[in-house]
Amino acid sequence: MLNNFKNSISMLIPVFNAGDQIFKTLKSLENIKEIGEIIIINDYSNKINKKILDTISIKKVRVIENKYFKGISGALNTGIEASLFEYIARIDSGDICKDKKRFQKII
């Protein structure tokens, strides 16, 4: 999972009852080598959403569970505190990344 710290990005995805929309977001990010980890912050979603997140088996994905609802800024702060890499990016669940070269430009 861990890449070179200077050349990697922690991608944050805050989630609240987003359902299976997370899978199209992950698919759009999975082959971007500059992303060293993907952190999904489950912001106290319902049990159905938690079950969906439990099925994710991509190596560089970590799911963090908030123990109470923090809202989007609180969820992002949780992700920032947990991030391992120098750079941080974010995307919302359900969104897709079309320009995969943008991360080369960031680094």
Side-chain angles (χ1 to χ4, degrees), residues 46-63:
N46 62 31
K47 290 179 183 179
I48 294 168
N49 197 70
K50 181 164 176 10
K51 286 182 182 182
I52 290 169
L53 295 176
D54 287 344
T55 67
I56 297 170
S57 61
I58 300 168
K59 282 187 179 183
K60 62 180 172 180
V61 173
R62 288 192 289 148
V63 178

Side-chain angles (χ1 to χ4, degrees), residues 78-90:
T78 298
I80 290 168
E81 290 174 14
S83 66
L84 299 175
F85 297 102
E86 183 176 358
Y87 300 107
I88 295 174
R90 64 155 297 200

Side-chain angles (χ1 to χ4, degrees), residues 6-104:
K6 292 188 178 198
N7 295 320
S8 296
I9 297 170
S10 294
M11 176 63 72
L12 307 182
I13 308 174
V15 173
F16 177 73
N17 294 336
D20 62 359
Q21 293 295 309
I22 189 70
F23 294 112
K24 74 178 185 178
T25 304
L26 292 174
K27 181 147 183 74
S28 77
L29 299 171
E30 70 182 339
N31 293 320
I32 301 172
K33 66 180 180 177
E34 291 82 12
I35 297 176
E37 67 176 345
I38 299 171
I39 303 172
I40 299 171
I41 307 97
N42 184 15
D43 198 25
Y44 204 63
S45 296
N46 62 31
K47 290 179 183 179
I48 294 168
N49 197 70
K50 181 164 176 10
K51 286 182 182 182
I52 290 169
L53 295 176
D54 287 344
T55 67
I56 297 170
S57 61
I58 300 168
K59 282 187 179 183
K60 62 180 172 180
V61 173
R62 288 192 289 148
V63 178
I64 297 173
E65 302 283 338
N66 279 346
K67 295 183 182 189
Y68 59 90
F69 181 74
K70 294 183 177 184
I72 192 158
S73 60
L76 289 170
N77 286 335
T78 298
I80 290 168
E81 290 174 14
S83 66
L84 299 175
F85 297 102
E86 183 176 358
Y87 300 107
I88 295 174
R90 64 155 297 200
I91 191 169
D92 290 325
S93 180
D95 289 352
I96 59 171
C97 176
K98 288 188 173 186
D99 180 9
K100 298 185 186 331
K101 294 181 182 180
R102 68 187 304 180
F103 299 103
Q104 292 172 353

